[in-house]
Amino acid sequence: MKSLRRMTTIWRPLSATALVVSLGGAALTAPAASAQDALPPITDAAPLNTAFFQQVDLDFAGAQWQQSDQLMERLGFPDALETWQDELLSHHGNMGSFTEADFDAVTGGEAALVVSDDAIATLMHVQSQMMAEMSGTPVASPVSLTEGEPLGVAMILRASDADAAWDYAQSQTNAFADKNDLEVVSTPYGSGEIVETTGGEGESTDDLDAPYDALLGAHGDKEFAAGRAGDYIIGAATAADVEQIIDVIDGNAPSLSESEPLTQIAAELPAPALAFTYVDAEAIVGALDADTVATIEAMQPGLSLADMGSYSGLTLTAVDEGFRMDSYSIA
């Protein structure tokens, strides 16, 4: 069973975001500053079943970041972007792990975190089981993932120089493998390539609460996968997750850009933006099993998850007046 311990730091804030920001989506509706004519290009690489999508602009020479630099100067921080870059390169450069060429390679485009509806449903299932265990209720069948099963969480990078970014990703993977006595396996897949670290001994789960121990396991704690297809670099816990993204990039699986609710929401939000977030709470609720729904509703008397499904978007933009956030939801 693939260890998922390292993903909990991502999953916990995601569950809070999904429940607080999106499940009550109708209350978040706000007028848009201007129409968004196009989705972030990176949505073309995200699977259609993505329930949580967060894109960040990495084009620091672009209008949004230049406007941000001007706003920071008004606050008394002149040349904030340049200062931040210099400090980043100075810190990591002293360790020989990150050069100016590396910085140029991985920036200039955009990055996104994508989480599937099944991944969030699994997390909520695990949390409901944990609450049941704490209350003394027996759990008949703890959640677990089998070897080769996708986790449903991945990072996607669309860099200014995909070749250089992929070279950097491979060099970092090899360095990590050498440090942790792992093997690196490279295999072609579709139009791209996947590199995967194998041989991790994992960590003990004695310190984990049930049923997290059943889900997180103790095998392969340091194993992960990275892939490249076209202009995109992918990082994930399992090779199966990378394969799913490459399938989308190759046109063999539908992409998030085909989502009608997302298209409607994006048209109501300003563009370009520093960050764009989309939550499909309808898919999350639909992916929950009956026992999980009953447990969550029992913890929140009067709550009906069936009424909480919505589609929500949120943008952070830099405008002349300052930084602003806009949200739009479809109940």
Side-chain angles (χ1 to χ4, degrees), residues 105-106 159-170 228-233:
V106 301
S160 58
D161 187 338
D163 290 335
W166 181 232
D167 289 342
Y168 174 73
Q170 289 179 295
R228 189 262 174 99
D231 295 332
Y232 298 98
I233 311 297

Side-chain angles (χ1 to χ4, degrees), residues 81-126:
L81 277 178
E82 183 178 352
T83 301
W84 168 76
Q85 180 179 339
D86 289 344
E87 291 180 352
L88 176 71
L89 293 175
S90 175
H91 174 72
H92 291 281
N94 291 335
M95 298 184 291
S97 60
F98 198 62
T99 67
E100 186 172 357
D102 295 328
F103 181 87
D104 292 340
V106 301
T107 59
E110 57 183 335
L113 170 67
V114 298
V115 186
S116 72
D117 50 2
D118 287 336
I120 298 180
T122 298
L123 172 64
M124 296 177 73
H125 188 177
V126 170

Side-chain angles (χ1 to χ4, degrees), residues 54-100:
Q54 185 156 53
Q55 176 261 6
V56 177
D57 179 17
L58 296 179
D59 182 7
F60 297 120
Q64 276 292 289
W65 281 106
Q66 291 305 305
Q67 178 68 67
S68 298
D69 211 25
Q70 294 178 27
L71 294 174
M72 294 302 294
E73 184 172 3
R74 293 181 201 168
L75 294 173
F77 300 98
D79 302 317
L81 277 178
E82 183 178 352
T83 301
W84 168 76
Q85 180 179 339
D86 289 344
E87 291 180 352
L88 176 71
L89 293 175
S90 175
H91 174 72
H92 291 281
N94 291 335
M95 298 184 291
S97 60
F98 198 62
T99 67
E100 186 172 357

Side-chain angles (χ1 to χ4, degrees), residues 166 170 184-188 193-196:
W166 181 232
Q170 289 179 295
V184 177
V185 178
S186 177
T187 56
E193 177 186 4
I194 298 175
V195 294
E196 183 179 14

Side-chain angles (χ1 to χ4, degrees), residues 281-326:
E282 179 73 11
I284 296 171
V285 173
L288 298 175
D289 60 59
D291 290 340
T292 302
V293 171
T295 300
I296 294 174
E297 292 182 342
M299 293 164 52
Q300 298 288 335
L303 172 69
S304 173
L305 287 181
D307 298 331
M308 301 298 284
S310 65
Y311 309 93
S312 301
L314 184 73
T315 54
L316 171 65
T317 55
V319 296
D320 189 58
E321 295 79 12
F323 295 100
R324 63 173 291 159
M325 297 186 74
D326 292 87

Side-chain angles (χ1 to χ4, degrees), residues 13-227:
L14 288 183
S15 65
T17 302
L19 289 173
V20 177
V21 174
S22 184
L23 291 180
L28 298 176
T29 304
S34 61
Q36 178 163 325
D37 297 325
L39 294 168
I42 205 167
T43 55
D44 289 336
L48 183 60
N49 71 331
T50 298
F52 181 93
F53 171 85
Q54 185 156 53
Q55 176 261 6
V56 177
D57 179 17
L58 296 179
D59 182 7
F60 297 120
Q64 276 292 289
W65 281 106
Q66 291 305 305
Q67 178 68 67
S68 298
D69 211 25
Q70 294 178 27
L71 294 174
M72 294 302 294
E73 184 172 3
R74 293 181 201 168
L75 294 173
F77 300 98
D79 302 317
L81 277 178
E82 183 178 352
T83 301
W84 168 76
Q85 180 179 339
D86 289 344
E87 291 180 352
L88 176 71
L89 293 175
S90 175
H91 174 72
H92 291 281
N94 291 335
M95 298 184 291
S97 60
F98 198 62
T99 67
E100 186 172 357
D102 295 328
F103 181 87
D104 292 340
V106 301
T107 59
E110 57 183 335
L113 170 67
V114 298
V115 186
S116 72
D117 50 2
D118 287 336
I120 298 180
T122 298
L123 172 64
M124 296 177 73
H125 188 177
V126 170
Q127 291 180 323
S128 68
Q129 286 189 340
M130 183 178 68
M131 296 301 295
E133 289 278 355
M134 293 174 61
S135 66
T137 303
V139 177
S141 56
V143 178
S144 63
L145 295 181
T146 58
E147 187 74 21
E149 183 178 351
L151 175 62
V153 181
M155 289 294 301
I156 307 173
L157 172 69
R158 187 177 67 86
S160 58
D161 187 338
D163 290 335
W166 181 232
D167 289 342
Y168 174 73
Q170 289 179 295
S171 68
Q172 291 300 298
T173 299
N174 290 329
F176 179 83
D178 290 341
K179 181 179 179 180
N180 293 280
D181 195 26
L182 303 173
E183 295 182 4
V184 177
V185 178
S186 177
T187 56
Y189 184 83
S191 66
E193 177 186 4
I194 298 175
V195 294
E196 183 179 14
T197 61
T198 62
E201 295 181 356
E203 297 181 359
S204 170
T205 58
D206 292 342
D207 61 333
L208 296 177
D209 295 325
Y212 278 108
D213 54 351
L215 176 65
L216 304 183
H219 171 68
D221 181 73
K222 296 184 182 301
E223 296 177 1
F224 67 93

